[in-house]
Amino acid sequence: MDTVKTTLVIGLGLIGGSLALALKKAGLGGHIIGCDRDQDEVELAISIGMIDQGSVRAEDWIEQADLIVISVPVIAMESVMAQIRPLLRPDTIVTDVGSSKGSVLASAEKVWGSLPDNFVLGHPIAGSEKSGVAAALVDLYQRHKVIVTPAENNPQAAVRCVTQMWQACGAEVLSMDIPHHDEVLAATSHLPHLLAFSLVDTLARQDESLEIFRYAAGGFRDFTRIAASDPVMWRDIFTANQRAVLKALTEFEQGLAILRTAVEQSDSDAMLGIFTRAKSAREHFSRILENSAYIPMQNKLIHYRAAPGGALSGRLRVPGDKSISHRSIMLGSLAEGTTHIKGFLEGEDSLATLQAFRDMGVVIEGPHQGEVTVHGVGLHGLKKPAGPLYLGNSGTSMRLLAGLMAGQSFDVELTGDASLTKRPMERVAKPLREMGAVVETAEGGRPPMLIRGGQQLKGIDYVMPMASAQVKSCVLLAGLYAQGETQTTEPAPTRDHTERMLTGFGYSVARNGASASLQGGGKLVASDIDVPSDISSAAFFMVAGSIAPDSEIVIEHVGLNPTRVGVINILKLMGADITLENEAEVGGEPVADIRVRSAQLKGIDIPEDQVPLAIDEFPVLFVAAACAEGVTRLRGAEELRVKESDRIQVMADGLLALGVDCTVVEDGIDIVGGVIGSGSVHSRDDHRIAMSFAVASLRSEGEIFIEDCANVATSFPGFVELANGAGFNLSVEDESL
Ligand code: NAP
């Protein structure tokens, strides 16, 4: 683009005029010349500084142009090309802006015989319903996309020049081949325009049309705004992109026919299926367009300012357990009948699982304030998804789904974000292959995973080389589809949510010590699930209620899976006053309300057998230790150093900053109970550290300022509101990035 001393824009309408304005503003493109068939438009363009020079005769300027942009209607492209051909220098770069690319290529081939080397086709995805110089906008292309469709004979330098031109206007440039471009645009732009024109025309022809338009509500306005676009331009586009538009229209007509039948037959399930899929797809697209993940990403730094003191009271319910939220969607989808879920954790990971099953044709309503309704399709009712299943950052989703997908009749590809793509998948691929599945992974056994359908799996007796609940679950879930018995044996106890929930859905799982086994070929029966509250989230309030003087709280419906209850055992050893009420079983999981009263805690040597059962809860247990009489010693917890942060060191840094005496060792820490002072601590982006220091403020002498708490929202949505409701005194400060 640096070598361009003269740019010629042919066609000073909305698109060409806006480009000239943006190039002028960016100071690129050198001398800008504009041509249009209307002399008045050219004069107007010069008078407002859009172009330096211009006229109605493009042929007068061709020879001096280093870059020519043809921005006339697609139907006029051929005549403009014929006009420039005799005078075009071989080194001049040419591009266009036409909304269909196959037709522009055909015009060029007609005029030149084949596309000239330096002619790079392009299409800005920006516009409005207006036309002409007066409609041009300097920032029309800011943050919009431009598609270039380079041909094999286009030199790199020419493609680069056109790319840089659009980037200088603030656009993001994408590259595509021509047929793909025309199909994508037919579906996403041309078809909606066609439908809007048709709907407004149909209604306008009715007798009472005035009435209809007078009362037309927002929906009609939103849907038909584009029917005000330039009729001539759209006639040209539908003519130019006829084949792709008709293909998109045929697909639409088929979809409409299905919906018509559903309405005719009052088929509620079919309608709900179409609408929930459309709604979630629309939301998914919006998030993609906003470049965000399933839940809005923070573009702010969030800090907590925790005022000292506070007594806790009341009943509260913390968010649902993540592991159980995942499994409730999976088993609900594969069950026969309708599963109602309450307390579903609307976190990014469990939403990825939910989306994956929607992509396989399961009708899922919600989530709405933790409520989800899953219309199960049975073990053999999933449909082939239209594309790869995208599982975001969720390792649980990918490993468990791998097991389920191994038994399907169709091929599936499982993909995820950059960080998931680094995680090992061979540990699940290996046992699945032993069962007869065909599983391909990328280099080094990493995602994406391609799982071939139509294989008959056979049960295996899998002695797991590592203690992993995900691997165990994957094999057992594949076992649902296998002939005979599938058995897993684990080297050390791991979370058993899958075994429990399978039982809750009426599928018999035999358990014998470290082994679990099931017979393939059974069926799952829908079961309503009130997802237990996550004990890891409840732990903050267990410690809070224990250390804050004059407190008594009840944490409702907490999951008490025996593989997770270390925090209760440890707190009780420290002298906490914790009692269980309303003990029950939900979907195979034990749950209870936990009543916590203030108590004077004492330092203990934490039994090593409790460490794996409380591994996520240590940051807040360290706060309990800081408030206890005497020394609390933790050993055998090196795994804490490789969590979201080095939890031993980061907690120790914070405690020391608040005047608490502690000593870090390789696999643990010694904490001397005493007085918590005041000061500033850093969470190092770790949600559990941030919440732990918020708990510490209940016994601190002065204010604690906690930096970098944005991640709390992902694991514990609503933490600050819930904590303040119970008696904390937290305020949130944000700082835009
Ligand atoms: P526009 O505002 O109507 O501008 C087109 C301009 O080209 C008009 O001033 C027209 O003059 C002039 N023109 C027509 N034939 C010509 C010729 N033979 N020589 C010189 N000038 C000529 O239309 P636009 O919206 O800018 O669209 C231009 C191109 O951009 C089209 O190919 C369209 O497919 C593409 N595009 C449009 C949009 C959009 O939303 N508008 C978006 C992306 C791409 P007259 O008014 O005298 O005919």
Side-chain angles (χ1 to χ4, degrees):
M1 193 71 197
D2 294 342
T3 56
V4 174
K5 301 279 178 280
T6 306
T7 300
L8 171 62
V9 179
I10 305 177
L12 289 175
L14 171 73
I15 297 295
S18 300
L19 174 67
L21 280 176
L23 285 178
K24 278 240 144 238
K25 187 177 172 205
L28 268 181
H31 195 63
I32 310 258
I33 300 167
C35 289
D36 197 275
R37 351 186 247 199
D38 185 338
Q39 178 68 31
D40 291 346
E41 290 285 271
V42 176
E43 279 168 19
L44 177 63
I46 296 173
S47 74
I48 61 170
M50 175 186 271
I51 54 173
D52 297 305
Q53 262 183 301
S55 72
V56 290
R57 286 174 47 84
E59 51 272 45
D60 292 348
W61 311 96
I62 308 278
E63 278 172 297
Q64 54 178 287
D66 303 312
L67 171 64
I68 299 176
V69 185
I70 311 177
S71 47
V72 299
V74 273
I75 214 114
M77 294 268 177
E78 194 176 318
S79 67
V80 171
M81 289 180 202
Q83 218 177 346
I84 64 177
R85 184 189 149 198
L87 302 156
L88 186 66
R89 291 187 345 235
D91 63 325
T92 297
I93 294 168
V94 183
T95 187
D96 78 306
V97 298
S99 304
S100 63
K101 303 284 29 129
S103 68
V104 177
L105 176 67
S107 301
E109 287 171 345
K110 225 158 152 191
V111 171
W112 277 282
S114 63
L115 185 75
D117 287 351
N118 274 338
F119 194 160
V120 181
L121 305 190
H123 174 204
I125 314 292
S128 77
E129 298 77 60
K130 306 204 174 88
S131 47
V133 167
L137 298 166
V138 66
D139 57 357
L140 184 69
Y141 306 113
Q142 286 285 342
R143 290 183 299 282
H144 278 74
K145 295 195 169 41
V146 172
I147 300 174
V148 289
T149 55
E152 270 180 16
N153 62 326
N154 286 151
Q156 286 225 334
V159 178
R160 205 177 317 123
C161 174
V162 173
T163 303
Q164 286 170 352
M165 174 187 84
W166 288 115
Q167 285 168 341
C169 302
E172 181 193 347
V173 181
L174 311 172
S175 178
M176 242 181 228
D177 66 35
I178 287 179
H180 190 206
H181 167 277
D182 285 357
E183 285 192 7
V184 168
L185 267 292
T188 57
S189 166
H190 306 170
L191 179 64
H193 278 84
L194 191 94
L195 301 181
F197 283 127
S198 169
L199 177 65
V200 178
D201 178 52
T202 308
L203 293 185
R205 276 190 277 118
Q206 294 181 0
D207 289 347
E208 64 283 17
S209 65
L210 250 185
E211 255 325 79
I212 294 176
F213 290 122
R214 183 170 302 138
Y215 296 113
F220 177 81
R221 262 201 308 275
D222 290 348
F223 185 77
T224 57
R225 177 182 59 79
I226 50 181
S229 305
D230 181 4
V232 176
M233 183 179 101
W234 281 100
R235 178 214 47 204
D236 296 351
I237 289 173
F238 293 132
T239 311
N241 200 20
Q242 183 193 49
R243 199 190 54 79
V245 170
L246 290 178
K247 184 168 172 245
L249 189 58
T250 304
E251 277 165 24
F252 176 75
E253 282 168 346
Q254 286 162 355
L256 200 59
I258 294 172
L259 188 51
R260 190 196 162 92
T261 312
V263 174
E264 256 168 18
Q265 299 175 353
S266 301
D267 184 343
S268 152
D269 277 359
M271 283 191 272
L272 218 48
I274 295 166
F275 301 153
T276 50
R277 274 199 303 278
K279 177 172 157 51
S280 85
R282 180 66 179 80
E283 287 165 357
H284 195 53
F285 293 149
S286 309
R287 290 187 194 108
I288 290 174
L289 292 175
E290 287 161 11
N291 257 339
S292 70
Y294 292 95
I295 54 173
M297 285 202 305
Q298 299 284 353
N299 52 2
K300 284 182 182 154
L301 280 177
I302 303 271
H303 312 300
Y304 293 165
R305 199 174 281 284
L312 304 197
S313 62
R315 300 179 72 88
L316 49 99
R317 185 159 176 164
V318 301
D321 184 280
K322 184 159 98 173
S323 309
I324 298 176
S325 295
H326 276 296
R327 287 159 175 85
S328 63
I329 296 291
M330 293 183 181
L331 299 194
S333 295
L334 296 171
E336 290 173 19
T338 304
T339 292
H340 299 281
I341 305 169
K342 267 180 22 188
F344 177 78
L345 175 70
E346 292 179 44
E348 194 165 325
D349 288 5
S350 31
L351 288 174
T353 293
L354 191 151
Q355 184 60 38
F357 281 90
R358 276 200 176 125
D359 289 348
M360 291 188 285
V362 181
V363 175
I364 303 177
E365 296 172 64
H368 180 66
Q369 294 183 338
E371 295 200 11
V372 182
T373 303
V374 186
H375 298 261
V377 295
L379 273 169
H380 300 281
L382 295 179
K383 298 204 180 80
K384 182 177 169 53
L389 296 178
Y390 177 75
L391 302 169
N393 186 21
S394 177
T396 307
S397 309
M398 185 167 287
R399 296 205 177 104
L400 269 58
L401 266 171
L404 289 174
M405 294 302 102
Q408 304 302 322
S409 58
F410 47 81
D411 296 355
V412 187
E413 188 178 341
L414 306 178
T415 68
D417 69 5
S419 123
L420 182 58
T421 303
K422 293 196 193 96
R423 311 251 285 272
M425 292 298 148
E426 200 51 37
R427 53 178 64 187
V428 289
K430 189 173 166 288
L432 289 176
R433 287 191 198 110
E434 281 180 32
M435 296 177 81
V438 179
V439 182
E440 293 163 29
T441 55
E443 223 183 292
R446 319 264 158 199
M449 294 182 89
L450 182 65
I451 301 173
R452 300 266 176 218
Q455 316 298 326
Q456 177 54 64
L457 305 184
K458 55 181 190 313
I460 55 167
D461 184 354
Y462 192 57
V463 179
M464 293 159 55
M466 79 273 287
S468 159
Q470 292 176 351
V471 175
K472 175 177 64 174
S473 300
C474 168
V475 173
L476 289 175
L477 291 174
L480 299 176
Y481 293 92
Q483 272 173 351
E485 185 183 79
T486 299
Q487 174 161 299
T488 55
T489 305
E490 52 192 5
T494 63
R495 296 181 182 185
D496 61 356
H497 300 298
T498 301
E499 297 92 303
R500 285 172 181 272
M501 200 180 287
L502 280 169
T503 314
F505 275 78
Y507 208 105
S508 148
V509 180
R511 303 180 66 181
N512 183 8
S515 298
S517 63
L518 52 78
Q519 291 287 336
K523 68 172 187 168
L524 296 165
V525 182
S527 165
D528 289 353
I529 294 191
D530 190 354
V531 177
S533 295
D534 188 345
I535 190 167
S536 299
S537 300
F540 297 104
F541 291 93
M542 292 185 217
V543 173
S546 301
I547 65 169
D550 305 321
S551 297
E552 177 166 355
I553 48 167
V554 176
I555 315 160
E556 292 175 345
H557 199 68
V558 181
L560 294 177
N561 185 297
T563 58
R564 306 274 302 271
V565 292
V567 62
I568 298 182
N569 299 339
I570 294 169
L571 280 173
K572 280 189 169 170
L573 287 174
M574 294 176 81
D577 182 352
I578 293 179
T579 45
L580 304 183
E581 298 169 1
N582 288 330
E583 292 184 59
E585 188 157 301
V586 179
E589 295 277 347
V591 293
D593 295 343
I594 301 179
R595 185 176 292 275
V596 187
R597 296 186 187 88
S598 325
Q600 177 55 57
L601 303 181
K602 57 181 195 302
I604 57 164
D605 286 355
I606 295 173
E608 284 204 26
D609 64 349
Q610 293 298 313
V611 172
L613 310 185
I615 198 72
D616 286 334
E617 288 72 64
F618 279 110
V620 77
L621 282 170
F622 290 1
V623 172
C627 299
E629 264 170 22
V631 182
T632 299
R633 282 184 201 83
L634 170 68
R635 294 293 181 273
E638 45 283 87
E639 207 198 318
L640 277 181
R641 292 191 175 270
V642 292
K643 290 279 182 178
E644 280 86 331
S645 69
D646 174 346
R647 285 188 170 153
I648 294 182
Q649 194 58 53
V650 175
M651 279 305 294
D653 292 345
L655 290 171
L656 288 167
L658 299 175
V660 176
D661 185 5
C662 59
T663 313
V664 167
V665 296
E666 191 52 36
D667 62 342
I669 190 168
D670 292 348
I671 299 172
V672 185
V675 174
I676 300 178
S678 65
S680 179
V681 296
H682 204 297
S683 83
R684 303 282 159 224
D685 242 1
D686 186 327
H687 51 123
R688 295 204 197 279
I689 306 268
M691 291 185 276
S692 299
F693 283 112
V695 171
S697 71
L698 294 165
R699 276 277 287 273
S700 65
E701 287 187 330
E703 180 183 275
I704 302 180
F705 184 70
I706 311 160
E707 284 185 64
D708 225 351
C709 304
N711 279 342
V712 171
T714 330
S715 81
F716 196 146
F719 169 71
V720 171
E721 295 75 12
L722 199 69
N724 283 343
F728 282 64
N729 201 346
L730 301 175
S731 52
V732 177
E733 293 184 6
D734 58 34
E735 194 184 314
S736 294
L737 286 177

